Amino acid sequence: MDSDSFAKKVLIAVGITLACVLVLIFIGTIFNVLLIVIAAVLVAVFFDGMARAIHHRTSISISWSRVMAVFGFLIVAGVICFALAPYMSSQAEQLRTQLPSSVKEVKQKVQQLPMGEEVLKYAEQQDFKNKLGQNTKKFFSAVFGVFGALADVYIILFMGFLILASPQIYVDGIIHLVPKEKRKRAREVMQTLGQTLRSWLTGKLLSMLIVAVFTWIGLWIIGIPLALILGITAGILAFVPNFGPLIALVLGVMIAATQGTDKMLWTAAVYIIAQVVESNFLTPMIQRHQVSLPMAMILLAQLVLGVYTGALGLILATPLFAIVMVLIKMLYVEDILGDHESLLAPEKKVRQQQSSH
C-alpha cells in the first residue's frame, strides 16, 4: 500500500509539473495575441475616456458620446495633419536625406577623440559584430523596429472599436467566469483596472504632448534644423519609457552633428532637460493617484518583453505592468494578505494619518 501511495504521489506531482509547463508554453505561444488584445483595449480605453468626459458635461448618452469621441478625434487629427502635412513631409524628406551625412559626421567626430580610432576599429571587428548580434539582436530589433508593427495596426484599431462599441458585454463575460460569491469583487477589480488604464493613458498622452512641444521649442531656439519633426518624434517615442527618449536623443544629436559640436551639446541638453522634467515632475504628478510603478521594474519588463516578443512588447510593457500591479495589489495583497495600506499612494496615507488624529 505504501508503494502504491508513493507512486500515486509521484504521478500527481509529475502531472502537475507537466500541466504547469504546458500552461507556460501555451501562454508563451499566444502572448503576442494577448499583447494585441491589450493594445486594442488601450484604444477602447482612450476613446471611452473621451466619451465619458463628453457624457459628464452634456446630456448626450454614453453611446452617442462614444460616436462623437471617435469622429471628433478623427476630424481634429485630420485637420492637424492637413495643416502640417506640407511642412512635415518636407522635413521628413530632409531627415531621410540628412541622416547618412549625419552618421558620417558623428563617425568623424568620434575619430577625433583620444580613443576614438580604437573604438571604431574595435566596433568594426567581425568577431565583435557577431557576438553583439548573437546576444542582442532580438532586443535591438525590438527597439529600432517600433514602427515595424504597422501590420498589426488594423487589427488593433478594429478590435478596439469593437470593444468600444459595447464594452459592458466583455466585462460581464469575464465576471461571469468567476464564482457568484466573488463576482462583486471581480467587478471592483475590473473597474479599478479600467480607471488605472484611463488615468495612465491620459497622463502619458499629456506627458508626450509636453515633451513634444518642449523639444520642438528648445531645438527651434538653438537653431537646429528639422525641429518640428524631431519634436514630434520625441513626443511619440516618449510613450516608451527609458528607450524611447534615448532613441530620440541619438536621432537629435545625429542631426545636430552637421551643425557643429556646440549645437550637438545644446541639442543633448534640450533632450536631457525634457527627460528630467518628464521623469521627475510630470510622471510623479501623473502617478500621484495611481498604483506606483517602480521604474526599475518597468525597465525589467521592457527588457523581457522586448527580447521575447519584439516591438509590441516593448511598447506595451508599462500598461501591462500596471495591470499586473493592480491584480497583485487587489487579489493578493488585499484579499489574501489582508493588507489594505501597503500600496496606497503616500498622500493618501498622510490624509488617513491626519484624519485619525
Side-chain angles (χ1 to χ4, degrees):
M1 293 295 295
D2 292 339
S3 60
D4 292 340
S5 176
F6 177 74
K8 289 180 179 179
K9 291 180 180 180
V10 170
L11 289 175
I12 292 173
V14 172
I16 293 174
T17 303
L18 288 175
C20 293
V21 171
L22 290 175
V23 168
L24 291 175
I25 293 174
F26 177 73
I27 292 175
T29 303
I30 67 168
F31 200 77
N32 285 328
V33 177
L34 294 178
L35 289 176
I36 291 177
V37 173
I38 292 174
V41 169
L42 286 177
V43 172
V45 165
F46 170 69
F47 288 107
D48 185 64
M50 295 175 59
R52 287 170 182 263
I54 296 173
H55 176 65
H56 290 158
R57 289 169 174 78
T58 64
S59 58
I60 302 174
S61 67
I62 188 64
S63 299
W64 281 107
S65 295
R66 289 174 181 141
V67 175
M68 291 180 62
V70 173
F71 283 97
F73 175 81
L74 293 177
I75 291 172
V76 172
V79 170
I80 293 175
C81 292
F82 180 78
L84 296 179
Y87 190 53
M88 289 181 60
S89 61
S90 63
Q91 287 210 354
E93 181 62 23
Q94 292 178 36
L95 180 63
R96 186 186 67 81
T97 56
Q98 191 171 332
L99 269 178
S101 60
S102 298
V103 172
K104 184 178 180 180
E105 187 72 23
V106 170
K107 184 176 180 181
Q108 291 176 353
K109 290 185 180 298
V110 171
Q111 288 176 334
Q112 296 173 1
L113 297 175
M115 298 291 293
E117 200 68 46
E118 288 75 9
V119 170
L120 289 176
K121 288 181 180 179
Y122 183 65
E124 290 174 357
Q125 291 178 1
Q126 191 63 33
D127 292 339
F128 175 79
K129 289 182 179 180
N130 290 337
K131 185 177 180 181
L132 183 66
Q134 292 173 359
N135 294 332
T136 61
K137 181 179 179 181
K138 289 185 178 180
F139 175 69
F140 280 101
S141 64
V143 173
F144 293 104
V146 169
F147 299 104
L150 294 177
D152 297 328
V153 169
Y154 173 78
I155 298 175
I156 291 171
L157 291 176
F158 185 70
M159 188 183 299
F161 289 136
L162 288 178
I163 296 173
L164 178 67
S166 53
Q168 200 58 43
I169 293 177
Y170 303 98
V171 173
D172 291 341
I174 294 174
I175 291 174
H176 276 80
L177 296 175
V178 179
K180 288 185 177 181
E181 63 273 12
K182 299 291 184 180
R183 287 179 183 175
K184 182 178 179 181
R185 181 57 171 171
R187 191 172 295 277
E188 292 177 358
V189 172
M190 294 295 293
Q191 291 174 348
T192 304
L193 284 174
Q195 182 58 44
T196 299
L197 289 177
R198 277 193 297 271
S199 301
W200 173 83
L201 190 57
T202 301
K204 177 56 70 175
L205 292 175
L206 177 62
S207 174
M208 292 167 61
L209 177 62
I210 294 175
V211 168
V213 173
F214 183 91
T215 305
W216 169 42
I217 294 176
L219 296 178
W220 176 73
I221 290 175
I222 63 177
I224 300 299
L226 312 176
L228 177 60
I229 193 71
L230 289 175
I232 294 174
T233 303
I236 295 173
L237 291 174
F239 188 84
V240 184
N242 301 312
F243 300 104
L246 179 61
I247 298 172
L249 169 63
V250 172
L251 180 61
V253 170
M254 289 176 61
I255 295 300
T258 58
Q259 306 295 311
T261 304
D262 292 342
K263 290 295 181 68
M264 289 178 62
L265 296 176
W266 279 110
T267 299
V270 168
Y271 281 96
I272 291 172
I273 292 173
Q275 179 61 21
V276 168
V277 171
E278 193 272 339
S279 300
N280 294 282
F281 296 97
L282 295 179
T283 299
M285 289 174 59
I286 292 167
Q287 290 185 352
R288 191 166 51 187
H289 302 293
Q290 302 176 11
V291 175
S292 179
L293 301 177
M295 290 304 297
M297 296 301 295
I298 292 176
L299 178 60
L300 178 60
Q302 287 180 309
L303 290 172
V304 173
L305 293 178
V307 168
Y308 289 103
T309 64
L312 195 58
L314 186 67
I315 295 171
L316 298 176
T318 305
L320 180 60
F321 183 65
I323 292 172
V324 173
M325 285 289 291
V326 170
L327 294 177
I328 292 175
K329 173 183 179 293
M330 298 188 71
L331 299 181
Y332 178 71
V333 176
E334 293 182 359
D335 292 355
I336 296 179
L337 300 183
D339 185 355
H340 296 271
E341 299 182 359
S342 62
L343 293 180
L344 286 176
E347 68 279 359
K348 292 183 180 179
K349 291 184 179 181
V350 171
R351 286 199 298 267
Q352 286 185 352
Q353 294 173 356
Q354 290 175 347
S355 62
S356 64
H357 292 300

